[in-house]
Amino acid sequence: MASLHISSMYLSSFSFKRKHATVSKFRRMSLLVPKISTTNSFQETNASTDTNPFEENVKPKALYDESVRNLNTLNNKNKITTTTKFLAILELVTDRVEMHHNVGKQRDNWNILLLNSINMITLSAATMSGLVATCPGSGAPLLGLKLSSTLLFCAATGLLLVMNKIQPSQLAEEQRNATRLFKCLQTKMEATVALESPSEEDVNDVILKVLALDRAYPLPLLGAMLEKFPEKFEPAVWWPRPDKISQPHKEKTKREKMEEGLVNGWSEELEMELREVVEVSKRKDFEDYERLGNKVLKISKSLAILGPLLMGIATIGSVFVDNIGWWSWTYLVTLLAGSLAAVVNSFEHGGQVGMVFEMYRFCGGFLRLLEETVEVTLEEKDMEKRENGEVFENKVAMQLGRSGFELRELASKSASCRREGIAMDEFASKLF
C-alpha cells in the first residue's frame, strides 16, 4: 500500500509539471503572435451575412432604367417642340394661301375697273372734243366742253401710266401662282403631320420654302414689287436653291452596285433616261418658252409706251380744238389719238399681256425646277439616300403629262436623234 501511495504522488507531480510547462510555452508564443480583434471580425462577418448578394446588380439596372426614362422624356419633349413649330408654320402657310387668294382677286378687279374706267374717260373726252369742233357758235358752253375734254384726257393719261407701271393682270397672275404653290406646300405639310412626326430638318426645309415663295411672289407694291419690264426674260424661282452634295469615299462605286442589281429602284438605264429627258426639256421646251417670253416682253414694252403716248397727243390736241379757222381740223388728231389709245389699252390690259408674260415665267421656272431636281438626285451617289427610282420616274412623267412608258419612249427617241444628228421634233412636256 505504501508503494502505491508513493507512485500516485509521483504521477501527480509529473502531470503538474507538464501542464505548467505547456502553459509557459503558450505564453511565450502569445508574445510572438500579433493580436487579432475578434469584435471587428465578428461585425464584418455579420455584415457580410446580412448583405443581399443581388443588391449589386439591382442598383446598376435601376440607374439604367432611370436614364432610359429620362432619355425618352427628353426625346418626347423634343418631338413635341418640333411638332409645335411645324404646326405653327403650317398655320402661317394656311394664312398665306388666304392672303394671296384675296390679293389676287383684288388685283384682278383692279385690272377690270381701271381698264373700263380709262376707256370710258377716253371716249367721253374724245366725244367732247368732237362736239367742240362741230357745234356752231362760241362762248362759255364750248369753253366748258374744251376744258372738260382736256381734264379727262389728262386724268386718263395719268391712270394709264400707273396701270402700265404696275400691270394689274400680271400682278393677279403672280398671286394666283403663289396661291397654288402655297396650297401644294400646305398639302405636303399636312401629309407629313398625318404620316409621321416631323423632324427638325423638316422644319428648316419648310421655313426655307416659305421664305423663297415670299421672295418670288411679294405682296406689297411699293419697294418690293417685281420688275414688270426686265431687260430679258428670266424664269420665276420660287424654291430654295440646293447646295452642292459632298460625296464621301465609298467602298464600291455606283456602277459596281448597279451591276449587282437594282438599288432602291435605280439602274443605269433609268439614270440615262432621266438625263435624256432633261436634255430634251433644255433644248426644246425651255428654249421655246424663253423665245416666246422675250417676244411677249417686247410687245408689252411697246404697248406700255404707245398707249400713254397716244393719250398725250390727244390731250395736247384737245387744248387747240376749235370750230373756227384751220384749228377746227385739230379735232381729227384728237379723236384719232384718243380712239387709238383706247384700242391699245384694251389690247394690252383686256388681252392681259402681262398675265401671258408671267405665265411664261412660271412655265420656265417649272422646267428649271424639274431640271435641278433631277440633277441633284442623280448627283447623290448613295442610292439608299435617294428617293425610290420607280417613284421618282413616275413623278417626273406625271409632271410632264406623260406615262412612264411614254417617258422611256421620249428618252430613246432623243438618244437616237442625237446619234443620227437629227433635230428633235417633240417637246418633253405635254401640259404647257
Side-chain angles (χ1 to χ4, degrees), residues 165-298:
K165 176 64 177 178
I166 65 175
Q167 292 289 320
S169 64
Q170 186 172 348
L171 290 175
E173 182 66 14
E174 290 173 5
Q175 302 309 313
R176 283 191 287 266
N177 291 334
T179 302
R180 191 179 70 83
L181 293 171
F182 270 113
K183 280 185 178 180
C184 291
L185 182 59
Q186 178 187 0
T187 303
K188 290 181 181 178
M189 293 179 68
E190 290 173 351
T192 302
V193 173
L195 296 177
E196 58 183 356
S197 297
S199 62
E200 195 68 29
E201 184 179 357
D202 294 329
V203 173
N204 296 331
D205 184 58
V206 167
I207 290 174
L208 291 177
K209 288 181 178 179
V210 171
L211 295 178
L213 279 170
D214 288 340
R215 287 192 299 269
Y217 300 106
L219 284 169
L221 291 178
L222 300 177
M225 185 179 66
L226 297 177
E227 178 61 41
K228 298 300 181 287
F229 304 103
E231 294 183 0
K232 62 177 182 177
F233 174 83
E234 290 290 342
V237 179
W238 62 85
W239 62 93
R241 309 310 291 264
D243 298 329
K244 296 268 186 182
I245 299 176
S246 58
Q247 303 297 342
H249 176 70
K250 300 292 180 181
E251 295 181 358
K252 290 185 178 181
T253 63
K254 180 178 65 174
R255 184 176 298 277
E256 289 175 351
K257 288 185 177 181
M258 287 186 175
E259 287 176 355
E260 297 176 359
L262 287 176
V263 181
N264 195 22
W266 288 93
S267 63
E268 284 289 335
E269 292 77 11
L270 179 56
E271 289 194 354
M272 293 175 62
E273 169 194 332
L274 292 173
R275 287 192 175 94
E276 288 292 339
V277 171
V278 169
E279 286 298 321
V280 174
S281 175
K282 286 181 182 178
R283 292 197 309 266
K284 295 292 293 182
D285 299 67
F286 186 79
E287 287 183 2
D288 191 62
Y289 281 122
E290 189 175 20
R291 178 179 58 83
L292 293 174
N294 285 319
K295 283 187 177 181
V296 173
L297 179 60
K298 290 179 181 179

Side-chain angles (χ1 to χ4, degrees), residues 35-48:
K35 293 183 179 181
I36 300 174
S37 177
T38 57
T39 306
N40 294 336
S41 301
F42 179 75
Q43 291 176 355
E44 291 175 1
T45 304
N46 290 338
S48 63

